[in-house]
Amino acid sequence: MIKIVTIPGDGIGSEVVASALQVLSALEEKHGLEIETEEHLFGGASYDVHGEMLTEETLDACKNCDAVLLGAVGGPKWENLPHEKKPEAALLRIRKELGLFANFRPAKVYDALLNASSLKPDILSGTDFMVIRELTGGIYFGQPRGYDRERGWNTMVYEQHEVERIARLAFETAMKRQKRLTSIDKANVLECSQFWRNIVHEVHKDFPEVELNDMYVDNAAMQVVRDPKQFDVIVTKNLFGDIISDISGMITGSLGMLPSASIGSDHALYEPIHGSAPDIAGQNKANPIATIASVAMMFEHSLSMQHIADEIYTAIERVLESGMRTADIANSGDSIVSTTEITDAITANLEVS
Ligand code: NAD
């Protein structure tokens, strides 16, 4: 029995998670899988009921399942809460509590959407790389932190084991792909980055087949836009990864297309990278593909069923090739379909493939 905790969260979260569940149940039937799903509150939806964004009950459920599928959290209603009560603080806490130290974000272009990017199709065509961001260390968690009237301060710190485990995962990922790894740092300015670089090179000794390339983060931001095809796997620390993974994602099209996986030694959480999109929430307009592709990543990473992940990607590709578009990925002249219509089409494609 596969146990999945689902957390719709806020805004469009419930709409896109409903789409993902429809796809899951089609796969369950097709492949005779036994999947148990259990829904929990998180974010504003939890705050309104329990007065806190993340309850111990939700956290316990996330710790006792095979994988977590999250929609999105937050919205204007909860924006003015104190920093420590905001949805972002709850997101950081859940990552830390589940030990989700690695965030995987694919930057892969669907041919049918080559025109949806801000880059020229010939620069973009064939782009397929994975950004691995360290997620539970670095400046987002380092102490001391704070501000007063005169100054504000944060601390960028990495322990040896934190760099070693993410580097190892990055080399292992590169071994399964094109065997090329780019480690992004700022070793010319930051001691913490020089430390990062030293450890990545140590770990490299265990993976001699992988070609390792160091790149400064400012250059990397430029290279991702100039020539994205040069990358296979990128690994970087929390702060730089936050920015580089957004740039990498956006060159491939809309926020509504981008899945992610956050992985630790014992737990994993899958979610689209977009937020709760309050401007379109409740209108059946959200693009569910990012969340459906997050389910594909779940089959790849947590359930070791690559063939089912591939089926999901193929179904998405076929539907895009048929010309079906939600509003966020439509060009002028395209007819626009709803969340439920595109979900039905993807599900129907799974059933026939
Ligand atoms: P957003 O990602 O919610 O929306 C940005 C724009 O992209 C909006 O115009 C929205 O309509 C569009 N968009 C996003 N996802 C889409 C989809 N699936 N289909 C079609 N269009 C889509 O970012 P924002 O507006 O900056 O943030 C809104 C709220 O979401 C805030 O409260 C923010 O804190 C929260 N947020 C949560 C997460 C998360 O849960 N991981 C991530 C980012 C933002």
Side-chain angles (χ1 to χ4, degrees):
M1 172 70 74
I2 300 165
K3 192 167 171 195
I4 297 171
V5 163
T6 61
I7 302 181
D10 307 314
I12 61 167
S14 55
E15 298 166 66
V16 293
V17 167
S19 295
L21 285 174
Q22 183 177 325
V23 164
L24 257 182
S25 93
L27 289 166
E28 188 178 8
E29 195 165 317
K30 181 176 176 191
H31 292 282
L33 306 172
E34 284 187 51
I35 301 178
E36 181 188 310
T37 58
E38 190 179 283
E39 188 176 308
H40 285 269
L41 294 177
F42 180 51
S46 170
Y47 188 83
D48 288 350
V49 177
H50 300 295
E52 48 185 331
M53 295 280 170
L54 175 60
T55 61
E56 291 307 315
E57 187 206 341
T58 295
L59 196 54
D60 277 353
C62 293
K63 286 180 178 169
N64 289 299
C65 65
D66 295 298
V68 180
L69 179 68
L70 173 70
V73 291
K77 188 173 172 192
W78 307 281
E79 241 163 45
N80 296 321
L81 291 171
H83 184 71
E84 68 284 0
K85 285 196 178 283
K86 284 192 172 167
E88 287 79 1
L91 271 175
L92 289 186
R93 178 155 175 244
I94 205 167
R95 288 171 185 164
K96 193 78 178 173
E97 291 269 354
L98 296 181
L100 307 176
F101 65 84
N103 181 246
F104 283 66
R105 281 212 207 159
K108 186 172 177 350
V109 189
Y110 291 96
D111 282 344
L113 290 186
L114 271 178
N115 288 323
S117 169
S118 47
L119 294 190
K120 290 187 198 124
D122 61 316
I123 290 185
L124 197 61
S125 172
T127 293
D128 178 2
F129 65 94
M130 181 68 78
V131 180
I132 304 178
R133 163 188 171 194
E134 201 290 328
L135 204 59
T136 52
I139 199 162
Y140 291 178
F141 293 94
Q143 298 288 349
R145 59 193 297 160
Y147 66 90
D148 56 26
R149 285 177 67 86
E150 280 81 39
R151 15 174 241 151
W153 62 95
N154 287 89
T155 305
M156 183 183 279
V157 57
Y158 268 106
E159 305 288 336
Q160 183 188 355
H161 76 274
E162 291 177 313
V163 185
E164 203 179 309
R165 68 185 174 184
I166 189 97
R168 203 161 282 286
L169 196 53
F171 280 111
E172 283 164 3
T173 306
M175 283 298 288
K176 291 184 208 148
R177 296 177 49 107
Q178 303 297 312
K179 299 193 173 69
R180 288 183 288 115
L181 177 65
T182 305
S183 172
I184 295 176
D185 62 33
K186 190 73 186 171
N188 50 344
V189 178
L190 301 172
E191 285 77 2
C192 183
S193 269
Q194 185 60 53
F195 176 75
W196 171 282
R197 187 178 284 206
N198 294 348
I199 293 173
V200 170
H201 282 254
E202 270 303 306
V203 177
H204 187 203
K205 290 177 187 157
D206 293 339
F207 299 89
E209 283 175 60
V210 177
E211 183 192 319
L212 172 65
N213 177 24
D214 299 302
M215 196 176 272
Y216 296 135
V217 62
D218 41 347
N219 182 30
M222 203 166 68
Q223 294 297 336
V224 164
V225 179
R226 192 187 70 83
D227 176 21
K229 282 197 273 275
Q230 70 183 284
F231 296 107
D232 176 25
V233 180
I234 286 176
V235 65
T236 190
K237 53 176 73 170
N238 205 343
L239 171 64
F240 301 155
D242 197 355
I243 300 159
I244 292 291
S245 59
D246 264 19
I247 304 172
S248 305
M250 269 321 285
I251 61 168
T252 67
S254 156
L255 271 179
M257 297 293 300
L258 302 168
S260 79
S262 299
I263 290 171
S265 311
D266 303 314
H267 306 290
L269 182 147
Y270 299 85
E271 59 180 324
I273 75 152
H274 60 72
S276 57
D279 52 336
I280 56 164
Q283 298 173 34
N284 200 16
K285 283 185 181 166
N287 183 346
I289 292 179
T291 314
I292 294 171
S294 299
V295 171
M297 292 188 86
M298 181 188 289
F299 276 100
E300 265 177 295
H301 292 275
S302 285
L303 309 177
S304 300
M305 296 187 206
Q306 183 67 47
H307 59 294
I308 296 188
D310 290 341
E311 270 180 37
I312 300 176
Y313 293 127
T314 305
I316 294 172
E317 252 165 50
R318 285 204 194 127
V319 166
L320 292 174
E321 276 159 18
S322 77
M324 221 176 211
R325 301 281 185 269
T326 44
D328 58 310
I329 49 172
N331 286 318
S332 60
D334 285 344
S335 64
I336 293 171
V337 300
S338 64
T339 312
T340 42
E341 283 170 312
I342 202 159
T343 305
D344 288 345
I346 293 170
T347 311
N349 259 282
L350 280 172
E351 281 157 4
V352 296
S353 66

